[in-house]
Amino acid sequence: MSVDSKAALFVMLGQAASKVIGRLDEVVPSDSLYLSASYDLASLVPNTVRESTKAAEAYRLFFVFENYLRELIVDVLSAGSEGSWWDCVPSDVQVEVLKLEEMEQIKGWMALGSRDKSALLTLPQLLKVIDTNWKGMFDDVVRDKGLIQEARLIVHLRNTICHMTAISDEELSRVRQTMRDWFRVVAP
């Protein structure tokens, strides 16, 4: 065996060992999570920090998708209606959002800042707004109503992530596929 082959084997074994060791619950992950400049949660709860890093990717995907849908809805409804975009939101959704607004006013001590009503719409509500206003508003933009149903199938995964539970790689792939389908059709 040549020196180069031995060196390559040594590096490969080292990488494999690092991956195995990095998955052990008691080993501090390489990603830090600081509460302050000197207090790293990674050394206190390494497995939970490791899981949070994995869950963060799914959270980021949902963050982008929901905000994309909010902007799309406000833009389409503002351009296609004579009143405010809010006037096109189903009344049951309006009632739910107004309750959330009241709750945020009660929680005024939190530094949330002023938020538009669209920021309070949940993913199922966003999809309902698109579905309710399909004809003449979203049919030309989204073009495939099946995308609404596809997005509804990942709502549970969104709730799982937002309630601090990681999802499997298979389900993360489902989220990515749904988003790819939306972005291919709606924003090619």
Side-chain angles (χ1 to χ4, degrees):
M1 186 179 271
S2 72
V3 173
D4 288 342
S5 296
K6 286 180 184 179
L9 180 60
F10 179 77
V11 168
M12 186 176 68
L13 289 173
Q15 289 172 339
S18 292
K19 284 182 183 178
V20 170
I21 290 170
R23 285 188 288 240
L24 297 174
D25 289 347
E26 60 275 2
V27 174
V28 176
S30 59
D31 292 332
S32 298
L33 185 59
Y34 289 99
L35 288 179
S36 66
S38 61
Y39 196 82
D40 185 2
L41 287 173
S43 59
L44 182 64
V45 284
N47 195 41
T48 306
V49 169
R50 194 175 293 107
E51 285 180 41
S52 75
T53 301
K54 184 178 180 210
E57 185 174 356
Y59 176 83
R60 291 175 66 205
L61 288 168
F62 278 111
F63 184 95
V64 168
F65 188 50
E66 285 188 39
N67 281 298
Y68 169 76
L69 290 178
R70 283 185 183 95
E71 188 175 315
L72 176 71
I73 286 169
V74 171
D75 288 350
V76 169
L77 294 181
S78 294
S81 68
E82 295 178 17
S84 165
W85 70 270
W86 179 247
D87 297 335
C88 298
V89 173
S91 59
D92 60 325
V93 174
Q94 286 184 1
V95 168
E96 292 169 4
V97 169
L98 291 173
K99 285 180 186 175
L100 285 173
E101 258 187 337
E102 288 175 22
M103 183 62 69
E104 284 202 353
Q105 288 174 356
I106 292 169
K107 304 280 185 196
W109 53 271
M110 295 179 127
L112 295 174
S114 176
R115 298 199 300 168
D116 180 76
K117 284 178 176 33
S118 68
L120 300 174
L121 291 168
T122 64
L123 181 55
Q125 291 169 335
L126 292 165
L127 297 171
K128 184 174 185 174
V129 170
I130 294 171
D131 196 18
T132 302
N133 292 283
W134 180 259
K135 194 92 172 138
M137 296 275 205
F138 289 97
D139 52 352
D140 285 339
V141 178
V142 178
R143 300 188 312 268
D144 183 354
K145 203 167 185 180
L147 290 173
I148 298 169
Q149 183 57 31
E150 186 180 8
R152 283 187 175 124
L153 295 174
I154 64 169
V155 166
H156 180 70
L157 299 174
R158 182 256 187 232
N159 293 342
T160 300
I161 286 295
C162 291
H163 289 268
M164 307 308 139
T165 305
I167 60 175
S168 69
D169 289 340
E170 179 182 2
E171 297 307 331
L172 185 57
S173 293
R174 185 184 318 269
V175 171
R176 284 191 183 110
Q177 183 60 54
T178 299
M179 288 182 66
R180 273 194 303 268
D181 292 346
W182 270 83
F183 283 100
R184 277 188 196 127
V185 174
V186 180

